[in-house]
Each structure stands twice: as C-alpha cells, then as structure tokens.
C-alpha cells in the first residue's frame, strides 16, 4: 500500500488468521487494531508490525477500562437505588412519627390536658413546621389555655392560635377544619363577622359535619342569627342530647343554647343547659356564673349563693365568684341589717383581692365598701390602687372621683370626673359630668 509517497506492508490478516490465542493481538477487537494502525500512520511511524504488540496491549487495556467503567456505573446505580430506598424509609418514618404525635395530642385534648397536648403538637412542628394537623391542634390547644388564663394573660395564647390557624389555612384552603379553627380564633378575638364568614365557608366544604355545625351555630348566635338554635341542636345529634364531639368542644354548644333559652325567657331550660356545660367542663367559669346569675334572677338567692361558692371552689384563682357573692350580699341590704351586710360584703371582696390582686374591679368594690363604713383614708387608698390597675376604666375613675370629693380633694376629683366621662361616653358627656360634680359639691 502506498500512502503519501511511502509504502507500507501490512501483515494484519496473518495476525488475525494465524496468530495463536495466546498472542496479545488475538484478544483485541479488529476495530481497535485498525484504529491504532491509522493513528500510527498519521504520526509517521515506521513498520507497523513493530508497534502492533504495544498497540494491541493498549487496546486490550482500553477494553478492560470500559468494562470497569460499566461495572462502576452499575454499582453507582445500585447505590442510588439503595439511597432512594433509604430516603423513602426515612420519609415513611417521619410521617409515622408526625401522625403518632398528633394522635397523642388529640388524646390529651380529649382529657382536657391542654398543656400536654400543646407540647405534643409543638414537637410535631419541630419535625415539620408546615404539618397542618399539628398546626390546627396547637391552635386549638392555645385557645383552650387562653380560656383558662387570667384576662391579663390571654393575649399571647390568642396571638399564637391566630398565627397557627392562619398558616394552616394558607397551606390547605379547601380544608374545612382550617376554616373552623380560624372561626374559633376569631370569635375569641371578638371578630364575630369574620368568624361567621369562616364558619360558613367550612359548612360549604363539609355540609352536615357536627364540628362545623357547632362552630357555625355559635358564630350565628354572636351575629344575632335566628337559625343559631337549630344549627346548634343539629350539632348534638338527632335527639338533641348527645354529641360525638369531645367534651371541650360540646360544652360550648350547651352554654350557647343556655344563653339562647335565657334570652327567650325559658329559664329552667337555660339552667339545665348551663349545668350540662359544667358537667362537661367543671372549669368553665362563665357557665357557673350564669347558673348563679339565673338563680338570683329567678328569686332563689340561697341556690345562687351555693352556685357562686361552688364556682369559687372550682376556680381558686378567679375573683369573679367572690365579686358575685359581694353583689348578692349587697342586694339584701336594708337599714336593719346594714352592718351585717357590709361585713359580709367586705369579706367577699377582700377574698377577691387576695386571689386576683391585679384585678382593678376588686379594689374598686373594696373602696366603695370601706367608704360606706366610714373608713375614708383606707377607701381612698383602695380607690387609687384600682385606678392604677384599670386606668382605662371609666367606672373605676368615677369611683375614685367620688371618694376624692368626699375626702375634700376637689380639684383632683374634678379631673377624675372628666376622665371618667371621656372613657365611658366620650367628650360629649363632659357637660353632664360637670353638672354631676356641682351637684355633689353642693
């Protein structure tokens, strides 16, 4: 063969056809050898037969390298499959753990262990902060803890509940429970119109759901809707007496039905509803106080006092039952029993101040009783404490003004009267307040 003016003699057929199997060229593919020969020609190598053993060995090594690379690829693919399987197992384990924590939280909610429930839901959120069941559970736990907290300590629970419900609703806008929990949060914040909107959205997504009906009925009641009573009864079941919901959810239904019955003049029925609410939640302060108030209104003071005392025993950190007992005692006031009534009233009010010293109303009542007993200096001290604790209360400012006036602090009394009028009725009530001041002074 002649190429570029040079003559080359190839012995490749001899090698392929005659060479024994042990020859290094025998194992090399023909394509590899031809490629090697062409490279050798282009670079101007000499006798091809001289370089064939080396080229053949290189080709063999190349072939082995390809096989090794293929083997490595297979190993990598196998490793990827194992990693994928491990990832799937990890995801399954996480899902199971989240479900377990939420189940524990729900069980604790059913036992009214709201602190423990919140801990379970929060642990789930540390694993996945977007896990909707945990967000909803934490929001509901915060709502219940808010109900148990003192008025001054409720804001943090409300804020957390709102944030958690808002995130859940953003993640799953078509989930009826997200709307229901948000409705509950909004009712707690006195945003009743927005709460009704959320409850109605839930009713469209889950018509006939008992939990949805219970919250919807309460939202309707707060907005003055006539259908509230029938909605609430439907949430209790066909017989209107049994609910499939947890006690912490159902007691509110009975309490609201009690209020509806009371407003419609069905007092015995209302009393029965309030008592059912108390059986489901012994720490429900408002139902206990409603029982006492209703009994007092029905002319049964002894039963009312018993109801208030039971409330005080069940709620040892609340001043409200003691203040109700004070009102009940004052209602029996007459000229003949004046000293006895004032003594009983002072005992109840001092107990209220003891259990809840940050409540301005208790100090206000104590100031009035001490003033009535002729203890002017002590009354003024209590009135000032009340005003410091409740600076935005027009009633407290009015009490301070009256006691200041009786203690001959006329200038300061005038200022407090004016402040009371602004807080209670706005600037337009100033003139009426000033006329009252003149009447008191003369």
């Amino acid at each position: 063969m002649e190429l570029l003016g040079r003559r080359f003699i190839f012995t490749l057929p001899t090698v392929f056809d005659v060479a024994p199997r042990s020859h290094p060229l025998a194992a090399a593919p023909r394509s590899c050898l031809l490629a090697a020969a062409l490279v050798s020609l282009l670079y101007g190598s000499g006798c091809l037969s001289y370089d064939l053993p080396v080229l053949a060995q290189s080709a063999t090594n190349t072939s082995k390298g390809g096989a090794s690379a293929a083997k490595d690829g297979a190993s990598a693919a196998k490793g990827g499959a194992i990693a994928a399987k491990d990832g799937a197992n990890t995801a399954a384990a996480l899902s199971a753990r989240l479900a377990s924590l939420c189940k524990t939280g729900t069980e604790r909610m059913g036992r009214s262990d709201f602190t423990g429930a919140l801990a379970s839901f929060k642990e789930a959120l540390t694993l996945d902060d977007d896990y909707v069941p945990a967000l909803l559970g934490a929001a509901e736990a915060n709502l219940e803890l808010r109900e148990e907290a003192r008025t001054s300590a409720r804001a943090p629970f409300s804020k957390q509940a709102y944030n958690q419900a808002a995130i859940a609703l953003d993640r799953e806008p078509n989930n009826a429970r997200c709307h229901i929990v948000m409705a509950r949060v909004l009712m707690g914040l006195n945003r009743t119109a927005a709460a009704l909107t959320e409850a109605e959205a839930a009713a469209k997504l889950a018509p006939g759901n008992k939990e949805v009906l219970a919250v919807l009925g309460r939202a309707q009641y707060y907005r003055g809707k006539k259908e509230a009573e029938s909605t609430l009864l439907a949430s209790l079941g066909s017989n209107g007496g049994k609910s499939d919901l947890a006690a912490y959810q159902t007691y509110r239904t009975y309490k609201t039905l009690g209020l509806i019955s009371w407003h419609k003049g069905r007092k015995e029925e209302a009393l029965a509803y309030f008592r059912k609410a108390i059986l489901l939640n012994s720490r429900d302060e408002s139902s206990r106080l409603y029982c006492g108030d209703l009994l007092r209104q029905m002319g049964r003071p002894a039963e009312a006092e018993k109801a208030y005392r039971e409330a005080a025993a069940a709620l040892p950190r609340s001043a409200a039952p003691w203040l109700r007992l004070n009102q009940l005692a004052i209602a029996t006031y007459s000229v003949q029993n004046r000293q006895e009534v004032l003594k009983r009233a002072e005992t109840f009010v001092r107990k209220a101040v003891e259990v809840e010293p940050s409540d301005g109303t208790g100090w206000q009542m104590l100031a009035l009783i001490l003033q009535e007993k002729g203890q002017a200096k002590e009354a003024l001290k209590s009135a000032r404490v009340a005003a410091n604790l409740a600076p935005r209360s027009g009633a407290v400012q009015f009490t301070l003004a009256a006691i200041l006036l009786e203690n001959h602090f006329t200038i300061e009394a005038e200022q407090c009267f004016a402040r009371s009028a602004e807080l209670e009725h706005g600037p337009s009530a100033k003139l009426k307040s000033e006329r009252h001041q003149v009447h008191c002074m003369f």
Side-chain angles (χ1 to χ4, degrees), residues 16-324:
F16 287 123
D17 299 337
V18 180
R21 294 181 180 277
S22 60
H23 195 283
L25 295 180
R30 292 172 180 259
S31 60
C32 292
L33 290 174
L34 290 173
L38 182 58
V39 171
S40 177
L41 287 172
L42 292 175
Y43 280 89
S45 63
C47 180
L48 182 62
S49 60
Y50 176 80
D51 293 328
L52 278 177
V54 177
L55 292 172
Q57 185 63 45
S58 175
T60 303
N61 291 341
T62 300
S63 177
K64 289 181 178 179
S68 177
K71 184 177 180 181
D72 290 345
S75 298
K78 184 177 180 181
I82 293 172
K85 184 177 181 181
D86 290 343
N89 290 339
T90 302
L94 175 61
S95 179
R97 179 60 177 160
L98 289 170
S100 175
L101 287 169
C102 286
K103 181 181 178 182
T104 300
T106 302
E107 290 172 351
R108 288 174 172 174
M109 289 286 287
R111 298 194 299 268
S112 297
D113 177 14
F114 304 123
T115 302
L118 183 59
S120 295
F121 292 127
K122 280 189 172 181
E123 186 177 349
L125 291 173
T126 60
L127 300 175
D128 183 354
D129 57 4
D130 279 342
Y131 191 58
V132 170
L135 286 166
L136 295 176
E140 290 193 297
N142 273 311
L143 283 176
E144 299 304 325
L145 290 170
R146 175 190 178 279
E147 291 295 317
E148 294 183 353
R150 295 185 180 185
T151 304
S152 59
R154 288 180 175 179
F157 295 110
S158 298
K159 183 177 180 180
Q160 290 182 46
Y162 181 85
N163 290 339
Q164 289 155 349
I167 294 171
L169 188 57
D170 179 67
R171 298 296 181 271
E172 296 185 10
N174 293 322
N175 185 335
R177 285 214 75 240
C178 293
H179 290 278
I180 280 302
V181 174
M182 178 55 81
R184 289 191 57 203
V185 172
L186 292 169
M187 279 191 279
L189 296 171
N190 292 323
R191 294 171 55 184
T192 56
L196 180 58
T197 300
E198 293 293 342
E200 288 173 342
K204 291 179 181 178
L205 291 168
N209 180 279
K210 300 292 180 62
E211 182 183 10
V212 171
L213 290 172
V215 177
L216 176 61
R218 287 169 49 214
Q220 289 171 338
Y221 166 73
Y222 289 128
R223 297 301 297 174
K225 302 292 183 180
K226 295 180 179 179
E227 60 268 28
E229 185 173 13
S230 60
T231 304
L232 289 167
L233 289 172
S235 75
L236 294 173
S238 58
N239 60 0
K242 185 178 179 180
S243 173
D244 299 327
L245 301 178
Y248 77 91
Q249 295 172 308
T250 308
Y251 85 90
R252 289 188 176 88
T253 299
Y254 284 124
K255 178 166 60 177
T256 309
L257 285 169
L259 290 170
I260 292 172
S261 298
W262 190 357
H263 294 159
K264 290 184 176 181
R266 306 194 304 260
K267 296 180 180 180
E268 288 293 346
E269 183 179 273
L271 193 61
Y273 278 132
F274 291 141
R275 284 172 172 164
K276 284 184 178 181
I278 293 169
L279 287 175
L280 291 172
N281 182 6
S282 61
R283 295 176 291 186
D284 179 22
E285 180 180 78
S286 55
S287 290
R288 287 186 175 279
L289 296 179
Y290 289 150
C291 273
D293 295 346
L294 187 53
L295 288 165
R296 179 181 164 189
Q297 190 183 90
M298 295 166 71
R300 295 151 67 175
E303 292 180 68
E305 181 173 348
K306 181 182 177 182
Y308 291 142
R309 288 187 179 278
E310 287 176 351
L315 306 161
R317 296 168 52 198
S318 175
W322 296 106
L323 293 175
R324 288 292 211 287

